[in-house]
Amino acid sequence: MPPTGPSREELTWSWAYTTGHPASDQKLEAAAKAAWSYSLLCARTYLNDLDAARELMEHAVHNASRYMARHPDAPPEKLIARIKSIIRRRAGQLSARRSRELSFGSMLDMESLLAGELEAEKGVFAIELLSRMSPFARAIVNRRWNGYTWREIAGELEMDHTAVRRAYLRELESVLQGLSRSGDSPKCD
């Protein structure tokens, strides 16, 4: 069954941070809407993950709401620039953290093995990886292959989306390290 819910292109005001002043809240909402495309750009450029755009925006709007509470007369251009700066900085931080977490192998590598026309060797390797994974990790691979986002998977599992992604990636890394250490190679029976 395909995932349901709002697509990432639908921008709805879900960043429920308030400054306590209706006029400031309207400025904040307008600035967030103006910066949304920049959040998508940074999520794709820095993280190669469009699902992260909402997280980037949530972080930036939370920070900007605190700023607006202190400076309610800030001009809209300054607020937009501040939100964009926070988005860019946070995307860079997350990108650096992810590069340290994943020394090799990634979800994209696994997804590329499973998607489209597989060459025989890639297919055998993907089957070998899947056979060594836990049922939890195999369920995540199947959901990602069917187009589910990390948030949708986490919702079904009643977990935080970052915890699900990290647990999956740790297991994938462990399986890949196990394969490289033991020198195992997939065998045809």
Side-chain angles (χ1 to χ4, degrees):
M1 178 168 85
T4 59
S7 71
R8 49 176 80 94
E9 288 80 20
E10 290 180 29
L11 178 59
T12 58
W13 182 255
S14 65
W15 303 292
Y17 299 105
T18 181
T19 61
H21 301 92
S24 295
D25 287 347
Q26 288 176 347
K27 277 192 212 178
L28 187 59
E29 182 176 354
K33 286 181 180 179
W36 175 244
S37 60
Y38 188 73
S39 184
L40 288 169
L41 175 68
C42 286
R44 178 180 298 278
T45 304
Y46 286 90
L47 305 169
N48 197 24
D49 181 7
L50 281 179
D51 295 329
R54 189 165 296 275
E55 296 169 41
L56 294 172
M57 185 59 81
E58 287 173 0
H59 177 78
V61 170
H62 176 66
N63 184 298
S65 69
R66 292 189 320 233
Y67 174 79
M68 285 295 294
R70 293 187 313 269
H71 307 282
D73 296 329
E77 299 80 24
K78 185 171 184 175
L79 188 57
I80 292 169
R82 182 176 184 87
I83 289 174
K84 286 181 175 182
S85 173
I86 294 166
I87 289 169
R88 184 179 56 250
R89 188 174 345 117
R90 182 69 173 169
Q93 290 168 346
L94 291 174
S95 175
R97 186 181 305 155
R98 285 183 183 180
S99 68
R100 285 191 305 268
E101 286 178 355
L102 299 175
S103 55
F104 62 91
S106 70
M107 184 65 200
L108 289 175
D109 296 335
M110 184 64 175
E111 287 175 351
S112 70
L113 289 173
L114 294 173
E117 295 292 321
L118 297 176
E119 298 170 17
E121 293 156 357
K122 286 182 180 179
V124 170
F125 184 67
I127 292 168
E128 180 69 19
L129 278 177
L130 286 171
S131 71
R132 292 176 182 240
M133 290 181 160
S134 69
F136 170 79
R138 283 195 299 267
I140 291 174
V141 169
N142 287 331
R143 285 182 176 109
R144 290 291 293 172
W145 191 35
N146 287 320
Y148 286 76
T149 66
W150 288 109
R151 285 184 185 272
E152 291 165 338
I153 294 168
E156 287 180 7
L157 299 173
E158 298 178 358
M159 295 174 66
D160 179 61
H161 67 280
T162 55
V164 171
R165 183 173 28 206
R166 285 182 183 150
Y168 169 78
L169 292 173
R170 269 191 305 252
E171 182 170 339
L172 179 60
E173 184 174 353
S174 174
V175 168
L176 289 171
Q177 284 178 349
L179 282 173
S180 66
R181 271 193 303 249
S182 67
D184 288 346
S185 61
K187 296 177 181 151
C188 297
D189 292 328

